[in-house]
Amino acid sequence: MTELSFEQKLQNYADLAVKVGVNLQPGQRLIVRGPLEAAPLVRLMAASAYQAGARLVDVIWSDDAVTLARFQYAPRDSFTEYPTWQAQGLIEAAQRSDAFIAIHATDPDLLKDQDPDLVALAQRTHQQQLQEYFAYIMADKVNWCVISYPLATWAAKIFLDGTPETQLDRLWAAIFKINRADQPDPVAAWQAHTQQLAARCARLNAKQYTALKYTAPGVDLMLGLPDHHEWHGGQKETLAGIPFIPNMPTEEVFTMPHKDRVEGVVTSTKPLSYGGVLIDNFQLRFVGGKIVEISADKGEAVLRKLIDTDEGAARLGEVALVPQSSPIAQSGILFYNTLFDENASSHLAVGRAYRFCLQGGPEMSDEAFAAAGGNHSLAHVDFMIGSDQMDIDGVLADGAAEPLMRAGEWVG
Ligand code: ZN
Ligand code: ZN
């Protein structure tokens, strides 16, 4: 097998995002959000989208340097300001059933010297302004996909040695490989992968465990699962029936925990990059589903702000399982980017639960969803707890436990 050229791999990556990820339908508009650096990819995606029948491709650009300038120089009382036209535009686009691609790439240390209160306030304002748009995304009323793009600042954080050029090359190689864009038939490779994830979900759904029991160094956790929970992973479908893959890469299968039935302690196994700040080596203790103790070696102030976002941010909204043999774990790279790191490791998320993780959840009132164990919050932030020392048991309705994962790998 001959190595594909960089241009071919970039083209594959663009085509994967448009045709497999968001699976743009003829006649749809495509909205792309991403950093200026990603322009070479965005241009290829635009061409790919028009060739697939897009009516209009619209791009909303972002830039780390502009974001940083705001934190450095904007009035301290201005962090509830927001470009409301953008929020309104996204809501209108969602109402029109447009397709959405977001390119998540940022310097993980961008805001490390900035006031955590302002970092949290900017995040909160962003979440509030886009709440109505996110509701469309979270309920799968539209087809959407999140991908990434290497930045020099980000590559320098990951690969400490080498020149800026070789650092960027290594990050490109990793992203192409993990996304299967370096394969001769990337589309077929993705089909095989999503079929495997679907089979795993089907097995877990048939089991209907009442709880998962986690054991590892620094972890002793009993995590309740609500009745009629549903596991998801890989490919999804919009309410109108368009298949799409929300995250590229994706290796996880996930569902929602019962917001009131989590007991014990977890310790993070990878740093969490949140709002431009790294939160590292942290421990959370749960009683009755609520976080009652927080400690962190790094970024504790920002972690506390996150947990304080609202009532639901102190409870869990997602539980995800990823074997240590996933290509991302195998790469051995710490990406400082949740899109990759969450797929390297089993994880949990504080905050909002996905309603589709409960049978009938999307149609429930807020009260009925909460009564069934569903968590509500403005926040939804994943953090990694998996390792090759983690054992997980599934607890059946009769109380019997059976091994689900051992030393970070699926049993059976
Ligand atoms: Zn996840
Ligand atoms: Zn998540």
Side-chain angles (χ1 to χ4, degrees):
M1 188 176 102
T2 52
E3 167 87 11
L4 302 183
S5 70
F6 179 84
E7 286 70 23
Q8 276 172 315
K9 285 184 270 194
L10 192 64
Q11 183 69 56
N12 283 349
Y13 192 34
D15 287 337
L16 279 173
V18 171
K19 292 173 181 164
V20 178
V22 79
N23 188 17
L24 184 94
Q25 301 294 296
Q28 274 196 305
R29 288 192 188 188
L30 174 65
I31 314 291
V32 179
R33 293 192 293 143
L36 289 176
E37 287 90 338
L41 177 67
V42 172
R43 290 173 190 134
L44 292 177
M45 289 198 307
S48 185
Y50 283 120
Q51 285 163 12
R55 299 281 295 174
L56 181 71
V57 178
D58 198 5
V59 186
I60 302 174
W61 298 104
S62 59
D63 184 48
D64 272 356
V66 172
T67 303
L68 181 60
R70 182 186 189 194
F71 280 90
Q72 288 171 322
Y73 306 117
R76 302 295 90 177
D77 64 354
S78 69
F79 282 74
T80 53
E81 299 278 338
Y82 199 81
T84 46
W85 66 272
Q86 271 187 16
Q88 206 47 48
L90 288 169
I91 292 163
E92 282 170 23
Q95 287 167 344
R96 200 166 46 223
S97 296
D98 293 353
F100 298 87
I101 294 178
I103 302 170
H104 281 199
T106 190
D107 174 358
D109 283 335
L110 184 70
L111 302 178
K112 73 173 197 311
D113 298 327
Q114 307 306 312
D115 180 350
D117 284 332
L118 291 185
V119 174
L121 184 55
Q123 282 287 332
R124 191 182 156 81
T125 301
H126 175 71
Q127 284 158 349
Q128 278 173 336
Q129 289 287 334
L130 293 188
Q131 193 173 12
E132 195 178 335
Y133 163 69
F134 284 142
Y136 277 86
I137 296 280
M138 303 283 289
D140 295 328
K141 290 182 177 166
V142 294
N143 42 332
W144 57 279
C145 179
V146 178
I147 61 168
S148 193
Y149 193 92
L151 306 181
T153 48
W154 177 27
K157 171 84 188 175
I158 299 173
F159 305 108
L160 300 177
D161 52 346
T163 65
E165 204 186 357
T166 58
Q167 289 167 343
L168 209 49
D169 284 349
R170 288 171 72 186
L171 186 50
W172 267 122
I175 287 181
F176 282 147
K177 186 170 174 28
I178 286 165
N179 279 297
R180 301 167 172 84
D182 63 343
Q183 299 195 16
D185 191 348
V187 173
W190 267 95
Q191 279 164 349
H193 175 53
T194 52
Q195 277 164 13
Q196 274 183 9
L197 291 174
R200 179 66 62 191
C201 290
R203 253 179 281 172
L204 287 166
N205 285 333
K207 288 284 186 189
Q208 281 294 309
Y209 292 122
T210 59
L212 300 181
K213 187 181 183 330
Y214 293 73
T215 321
V219 180
D220 183 4
L221 188 75
M222 187 63 97
L223 180 139
L225 297 174
D227 293 343
H228 311 297
H229 63 272
E230 274 182 32
W231 290 87
H232 291 264
Q235 187 169 285
K236 305 180 68 182
E237 258 185 30
T238 65
L239 298 185
I242 304 169
F244 69 102
I245 298 174
N247 287 348
M248 292 183 114
T250 185
E251 301 289 339
E252 61 172 346
V253 296
F254 65 96
T255 188
M256 63 179 225
H258 193 296
K259 69 178 177 66
D260 303 323
R261 294 207 287 114
V262 184
E263 308 286 340
V265 178
V266 281
T267 301
S268 66
T269 49
K270 282 173 184 288
L272 165 64
S273 179
Y274 176 73
V277 175
L278 270 188
I279 306 166
D280 201 4
N281 202 7
F282 58 97
Q283 207 165 58
L284 304 173
R285 195 161 72 81
F286 293 84
V287 173
K290 194 174 154 67
I291 296 168
V292 295
E293 265 177 50
I294 303 168
S295 65
D297 284 356
K298 251 170 92 178
E300 188 173 308
V302 172
L303 178 60
R304 286 182 182 277
K305 297 279 176 212
L306 164 62
I307 305 297
D308 281 347
T309 304
D310 52 28
E311 176 76 24
R315 295 176 186 274
L316 295 179
E318 178 188 336
V319 45
L321 302 176
V322 181
Q324 290 300 115
S325 53
S326 94
I328 302 174
Q330 289 299 303
S331 77
I333 299 170
L334 176 63
F335 285 91
Y336 301 98
N337 178 319
T338 301
L339 181 61
F340 295 89
D341 293 327
E342 79 159 333
N343 282 296
S345 176
S346 289
H347 57 272
L348 305 171
V350 291
R352 169 173 81 223
Y354 293 96
R355 280 173 170 260
F356 57 75
C357 289
L358 195 66
Q359 264 175 48
E363 294 83 38
M364 283 179 183
S365 67
D366 287 353
E367 294 71 27
F369 184 63
N375 196 27
H376 181 73
S377 172
L378 282 175
H380 176 101
V381 178
D382 294 58
F383 60 97
M384 307 310 129
I385 61 167
S387 73
D388 59 11
Q389 298 179 77
M390 176 168 274
D391 290 345
I392 305 175
D393 284 354
V395 182
L396 293 156
D398 64 3
E402 58 184 24
L404 187 60
M405 292 184 110
R406 285 291 176 269
E409 294 297 334
W410 291 111
V411 175

